[in-house]
Amino acid sequence: GQQLNQSPQSMFIQEGEDVSMNCTSSSIFNTWLWYKQDPGEGPVLLIALYKAGELTSNGRLTAQFGITRKDSFLNISASIPSDVGIYFCAGRRIIQGAQKLVFGQGTRLTINP
Amino acid sequence: GAGVSQSPRYKVAKRGQDVALRCDPISGHVSLFWYQQALGQGPEFLTYFQNEAQLDKSGLPSDRFFAERPEGSVSTLKIQRTQQEDSAVYLCASSRLAGGGVDTDTQYFGPGTRLTVL
C-alpha cells in the first residue's frame, strides 16, 4: 500500500543532541501529522500541521508543513532519554467525506546516555 | 476517561484458523478506523466506520478480512483462514466526529493486537 517516504530510517544520537527527520510524498495532503510510538503501544499524536508553510512548536518539538504540501519535517531539540521510540509522519486527506491517514515507514530514534 | 482499548493484546493462531479482534473506542466517538502494521512499517489503513456504517473498506487485503460495528460502538475485525502474511499488529483508532470532521479531529489509537500466524 501507499506509504510516505520518511528518512532517516534510524538515528543513534547522544543525549542532548538535536534531531531532524523528514517526510516526502508524491501527492498533496491537507494536513501533516507527526506521531510517536513506544513499544507495545499505539501511535500518539505529537504535532498537527494544517496549512502549507506552517511552522508549529510543541515544547522541544518543531514541525513544518512544506509549502508544496508534499513534505514535512520534525525537529527535536536537546534530546532526552524519553524521546526514544519510533516517529511516524502521516498525511491526512479527506476522501468521500472520510479522513484517511497515510503513514511513513518510521524513524527509530535511539539515544546513548 | 478511558482511551481506546483492544483485546486480546496478543494472539497466536495456526494457519487456517479464524480469529476475532476487538476494539472498544472512546465513548461517544463516531468514527472508528482499523489499521494493519507490519513489522518495521507504518500503519496501513484497512477500513472505516461512521457509527455502525462501514463507509470505506478499500484497505482490506482480501475477502478473508471482515469488520463490523453493529451498534456503533464496539468493533470486531475478523480474519478467516489466517495465513502467515496476516501476522502483524492490528491497530484500532477512533475520532470524535463523523466523516472528514474538522482539521483538528484527532484519531486516538489503541495499543493494538499483535497477531502471529504459525
Side-chain angles (χ1 to χ4, degrees):
Chain A
Q2 178 191 5
Q3 288 204 330
L4 305 178
N5 296 314
Q6 186 172 347
S7 64
Q9 288 189 340
S10 60
M11 302 184 72
F12 298 85
I13 63 169
Q14 299 294 322
E15 183 177 348
E17 287 185 9
D18 297 343
V19 171
S20 183
M21 59 192 79
N22 67 79
C23 208
T24 61
S25 170
S26 58
S27 53
I28 289 170
F29 289 98
N30 306 115
T31 304
W32 280 89
L33 308 165
W34 285 92
Y35 284 86
K36 180 174 182 274
Q37 187 174 28
D38 292 327
E41 301 295 330
V44 174
L45 183 65
L46 298 174
I47 285 185
L49 301 154
Y50 304 111
K51 296 180 181 178
E54 178 182 0
L55 184 72
T56 296
S57 293
N58 179 7
R60 292 178 298 106
L61 277 59
T62 301
Q64 184 157 30
F65 190 151
I67 195 71
T68 64
R69 294 200 286 159
K70 294 183 179 181
D71 63 296
S72 178
F73 72 75
L74 174 70
N75 288 340
I76 306 173
S77 63
S79 57
I80 60 177
S82 61
D83 292 335
V84 167
I86 304 177
Y87 293 79
F88 290 99
C89 61
R92 176 178 183 266
R93 57 167 69 99
I94 307 302
I95 299 177
Q96 296 180 335
Q99 60 164 307
K100 275 194 168 179
L101 296 184
V102 178
F103 284 83
Q105 305 98 321
T107 295
R108 180 182 296 273
L109 179 62
T110 303
I111 297 177
N112 300 315
Chain B
V4 178
S5 61
Q6 294 186 244
S7 61
R9 293 294 311 276
Y10 303 91
K11 178 68 179 178
V12 178
K14 292 184 179 178
R15 190 173 56 183
Q17 283 185 334
D18 298 347
V19 298
L21 313 179
R22 176 186 170 109
C23 172
D24 285 80
I26 294 172
S27 178
H29 276 199
V30 170
S31 294
L32 185 145
F33 308 81
W34 283 98
Y35 292 85
Q36 181 189 58
Q37 186 175 22
L39 187 65
Q41 299 294 317
E44 290 198 23
F45 171 83
L46 292 178
T47 187
Y48 161 70
F49 288 86
Q50 181 177 310
N51 294 308
E52 70 279 3
Q54 188 176 20
L55 299 187
D56 188 340
K57 52 182 180 180
S58 61
L60 296 177
S62 78
D63 59 6
R64 296 186 295 104
F65 287 70
F66 172 77
E68 59 183 5
R69 194 186 185 198
E71 298 179 358
S73 55
V74 172
S75 177
T76 303
L77 176 66
K78 298 180 179 178
I79 309 173
Q80 297 176 325
R81 304 181 303 282
T82 53
Q83 304 294 314
Q84 285 188 323
E85 62 262 28
D86 300 335
S87 296
V89 174
Y90 291 86
L91 294 164
C92 175
S94 70
S95 69
R96 189 170 59 87
L97 301 176
V102 297
D103 281 348
T104 54
D105 188 33
T106 300
Q107 288 189 29
Y108 296 90
F109 284 82
T113 294
R114 180 177 296 277
L115 173 65
T116 303
V117 182
L118 304 177

